[in-house]
Amino acid sequence: MDAPAHLPPPPAIADDWALFLDVDGTLLAIAGTPDAVRVPPGLIDALASLQQRLDGALALVSGRRLAQLDALFAPLKLPAAGLHGLERRHADNHIDPPTPPSLLAVFHRKAELVAERYPGALVEDKDSTIALHWRGNPHAEQALRELSEAALPWLHDYRLQPGDGVIEVRPVGTDKGDAIAALLDEAPFAGRHAVFVGDDLTDEHGFEVVLDRGGMAVLVGNRQPSRARHRLHDPAAVLAWLAAGA
Ligand SMILES: [Mg+2]
């Protein structure tokens, strides 16, 4: 694979695209905490114009919840996959909600009891997904990892998704690739040239899906290795590219 720095920028946005956009690290610069992100001036206008230009075939694909996406991008309520695809809002505005299993509540309580022993550790409840954060106290890492691994046999339809300073316990069969594939099966996305723009490891599932369908994967930043064949330097470059196509 080419080094990311040598990948060319994507071509100008075309009318027949279905455009899928990751949020954090792609549209918004990463901040110290998820709540501290800022929406740059011009982004919401560019997204609104592009949504019209693409006849609605523009969707957000994020690890955040739909409610958080709506708050960030108000007044827009874009088609979106939240929680890596667990929550989905279709172009006709209807939402498939997640179903929280009761066993996950038990796991959640156990995780809180562990986190209470490590000030700074955090248990984040995202309904069907639980994120255990140790960025605020690295000493909690081992205990939180062990707890998650021990829980897997009884949370049999869940899996672990490790991240940077965090481990997420989330249902099997929901990743950004699944989410994009599902949207590409329905109007107004079906039959269009699929393009996904994303920055991190979880976006590779989405890259795989769009490339398999003859589409285009655009990496934001320098992470490697990546399947992407196009690259934009950072969220500011993504905004400039979107605004030029709006
Ligand atoms: Mg991202």
Side-chain angles (χ1 to χ4, degrees):
M1 289 189 232
D2 296 340
H6 297 123
L7 296 175
I13 294 169
D15 288 342
D16 67 341
W17 284 13
L19 187 54
F20 300 95
L21 301 168
D22 168 54
V23 175
D24 291 84
T26 296
L27 295 180
L28 309 179
I30 300 279
T33 66
D35 290 339
V37 292
R38 293 192 54 210
V39 178
L43 177 59
I44 288 174
D45 286 347
L47 293 174
S49 303
L50 275 171
Q51 191 193 20
Q52 289 208 333
R53 183 183 166 198
L54 301 176
D55 288 330
L58 181 148
L60 304 176
V61 183
S62 174
R64 287 181 184 266
R65 307 183 60 162
L66 288 182
Q68 290 180 306
L69 295 175
D70 289 347
L72 281 169
F73 296 101
L76 297 182
K77 286 200 170 183
L78 296 166
L83 298 176
H84 301 270
L86 265 183
E87 292 183 321
R88 244 171 253 167
R89 176 164 53 225
H90 304 260
D92 66 2
N93 240 357
H94 102 266
I95 293 176
D96 298 330
T99 310
S102 59
L103 276 179
L104 203 62
V106 174
F107 173 76
H108 183 226
R109 184 61 194 138
K110 284 172 178 273
E112 281 184 334
L113 291 172
V114 172
E116 280 168 13
R117 306 203 317 257
Y118 299 93
L122 182 69
V123 178
E124 184 186 9
D125 185 354
K126 301 178 174 181
D127 286 348
S128 295
T129 295
I130 292 178
L132 312 178
H133 298 269
W134 58 81
R135 199 187 290 264
N137 186 343
H139 297 296
E141 175 174 356
Q142 189 183 352
L144 291 173
R145 278 188 186 280
E146 284 174 1
L147 178 80
S148 320
E149 282 157 16
L152 274 194
W154 47 276
L155 292 175
H156 55 88
D157 54 347
Y158 280 73
R159 65 186 170 98
L160 302 182
Q161 164 116 6
D164 189 14
V166 63
I167 194 160
E168 288 196 355
V169 178
R170 62 187 187 87
V172 172
T174 54
D175 63 41
K176 290 185 175 182
D178 294 341
I180 290 171
L183 286 168
L184 278 171
D185 283 342
E186 61 188 49
F189 302 94
R192 287 172 164 264
H193 183 69
V195 178
F196 180 40
V197 189
D199 69 306
D200 85 23
L201 196 55
T202 61
D203 296 322
E204 290 292 324
H205 296 118
F207 289 169
E208 189 172 356
V209 166
V210 295
L211 291 171
D212 280 352
R213 296 181 180 221
M216 185 169 69
V218 182
L219 175 69
V220 180
N222 288 312
R223 185 181 49 76
Q224 56 181 325
S226 173
R227 291 181 184 81
R229 307 266 46 92
H230 295 85
R231 185 181 87 93
L232 289 165
H233 182 67
D234 58 14
V238 175
L239 174 55
W241 177 71
L242 293 174

